[in-house]
Amino acid sequence: MPDSATQEIILGSFAGSLGKLIEYPFDTIKVKLQSKQYSNTLLCFKLTWKLEGLIGFYRGLTPPLLGASLENACLFYVYNAVQDALKKHIYVMNPSVDFQDQEQYEVPLLGKMVAGATSGVCASFILTPVELIKCNMQVLVSLLTAASQYKPNIFKVIKDVYRREGIAGYWRGQFPTLLREMGGTAIWFGSYEMVSGSFRRYRSQQVERTSSSTPVFDLLVSGASAGVGYNVCLYPVDTIKSNMQINKGDKGNATMKGTIRQIYQESGVRGFYRGLGITVVRCIPANAVIFFTYNKCKEAWFGRS
């Protein structure tokens, strides 16, 4: 683990911010599709460009950019902290094991997934209010009439949520967010570790390799695999979360159970996967950049990945 918690947080924050800048336009399309404003991705893209221009794809960017910075700082910090705790536990429970260098001990994949799930639970409390504001900003313009002179901004959305629901309103959708992050982050880190581990075993057989630095290709593919695993496995939960957060809470279906019933009645099982294609497209470059940036900065800072 890095020598300083502060340095670990900085690395995660920087990597998360870069990933969010790459994925955000795709995320805007995804949320609009999940909220059933458009019937398909191409139509959503065309009308967003026509009605809102380039800024429409980045509307509401500030909260999720800050959120991504905080989220990834929390994810990587807690992930490594839990692994350290597991190493110490294993060492205490197995005194006969000779750890010449405890830092080099490899936590089993299941342990890494537990660490990932724990980090996801912690991050969910940061993500819920951020994503609620983001989702409402992303769909707000499309729900307005062309003649409307209302100019949405983050402060108006924040004020509106507080006026209608108080402080608790910012955590509407917390439970599905927690479920998504707990399971999704376990898969996210698990997929990364599994793929990167395969690469390490393959590279170790190449006797001519002299550099200890992790190859760029390995990091990009491992990161992209993590993103695909996270999004594909937990996508229905994300759809439920987005619809709960966009719902104004005045239709009686802002609960998780009511939202599931509404989505199923309107679109069937397919409704839970609306926007999945654009989500997979967006997550590949974004997560490749997150893990590449984090690991390469870590190598430069600490001399190891």
Side-chain angles (χ1 to χ4, degrees), residues 11 33 60 71 85 92 118 166 177 218 221 240 250 261 275 278 292:
L11 293 180
L33 290 171
E71 175 199 6
V92 170
T118 304
T177 303
D218 297 8
V221 173
I240 295 165
D250 54 2
R261 185 188 302 115
I278 194 69
F292 169 78

Side-chain angles (χ1 to χ4, degrees), residues 132-133 154-172 248:
L132 183 137
I133 296 168
I154 292 170
F155 299 106
K156 288 181 180 179
V157 172
I158 293 173
K159 183 179 179 180
D160 186 51
V161 172
Y162 182 78
R163 178 181 58 81
R164 288 186 287 105
E165 303 175 65
I167 293 294
Y170 298 113
W171 277 269
R172 182 177 359 120
K248 299 299 182 183

Side-chain angles (χ1 to χ4, degrees), residues 9-244:
I9 290 170
I10 290 172
L11 293 180
S13 176
F14 180 58
S17 298
L18 286 180
K20 181 57 65 178
L21 287 173
I22 293 172
E23 75 169 12
Y24 196 77
F26 301 101
D27 185 71
T28 297
I29 299 298
K30 179 211 72 170
V31 171
K32 290 186 177 185
L33 290 171
Q34 286 179 325
S35 62
K36 301 177 288 295
Q37 292 186 49
Y38 299 97
S39 59
N40 61 71
T41 301
L42 183 60
L43 178 64
C44 183
F45 179 85
K46 286 182 176 179
L47 290 182
T48 299
W49 178 265
K50 180 179 179 180
L51 296 174
E52 305 174 55
L54 181 62
I55 193 174
F57 295 97
Y58 286 93
R59 191 174 301 280
L61 173 62
T62 304
L65 189 62
L66 175 61
S69 176
L70 295 174
E71 175 199 6
N72 282 272
C74 176
L75 287 176
F76 283 104
Y77 172 73
V78 175
Y79 179 65
N80 284 290
V82 173
Q83 284 195 79
D84 267 8
L86 288 174
K87 289 177 184 179
K88 293 176 182 177
H89 175 73
I90 292 171
Y91 185 77
V92 170
M93 297 299 292
N94 298 273
S96 60
V97 177
D98 181 20
F99 291 152
Q100 295 181 346
D101 184 357
Q102 191 175 331
E103 287 292 323
Q104 298 303 313
Y105 176 74
E106 187 76 11
V107 174
L109 181 61
L110 179 59
K112 291 181 177 180
M113 293 183 71
V114 169
T118 304
S119 67
V121 170
C122 295
S124 71
F125 292 94
I126 298 173
L127 280 173
T128 301
V130 169
E131 292 196 352
L132 183 137
I133 296 168
K134 178 209 70 167
C135 288
N136 280 277
M137 284 293 296
Q138 286 172 322
V139 303
L140 190 54
V141 170
S142 299
L143 293 173
L144 300 173
T145 62
S148 175
Q149 298 300 309
Y150 180 79
K151 299 297 182 183
N153 61 57
I154 292 170
F155 299 106
K156 288 181 180 179
V157 172
I158 293 173
K159 183 179 179 180
D160 186 51
V161 172
Y162 182 78
R163 178 181 58 81
R164 288 186 287 105
E165 303 175 65
I167 293 294
Y170 298 113
W171 277 269
R172 182 177 359 120
Q174 170 61 37
F175 185 61
T177 303
L178 187 147
L179 291 179
R180 184 197 67 185
E181 290 302 303
M182 182 172 64
T185 309
I187 294 171
W188 193 57
F189 279 116
S191 299
Y192 172 80
E193 297 289 357
M194 186 168 59
V195 175
S196 62
S198 298
F199 276 123
R200 283 196 300 271
R201 288 189 292 273
Y202 170 74
R203 301 293 183 189
S204 66
Q205 298 173 4
Q206 297 179 313
V207 294
E208 70 277 7
R209 183 170 178 242
T210 57
S211 175
S212 61
S213 176
T214 306
V216 172
F217 178 82
D218 297 8
L219 289 173
L220 294 177
V221 173
S222 299
S225 300
V228 172
Y230 171 94
N231 285 282
V232 171
C233 293
L234 275 297
Y235 194 78
V237 180
D238 184 67
T239 299
I240 295 165
K241 184 274 306 178
S242 293
N243 279 273
M244 285 181 67

Side-chain angles (χ1 to χ4, degrees), residues 255-287:
T255 64
M256 188 171 181
K257 182 178 179 181
T259 302
I260 292 172
R261 185 188 302 115
Q262 180 193 27
I263 295 172
Y264 185 76
Q265 288 176 345
E266 293 180 354
S267 308
V269 175
R270 292 183 59 185
F272 295 96
Y273 291 90
R274 190 183 297 274
L276 176 60
I278 194 69
T279 300
V280 172
V281 170
R282 99 176 181 202
C283 78
I284 291 175
N287 287 275

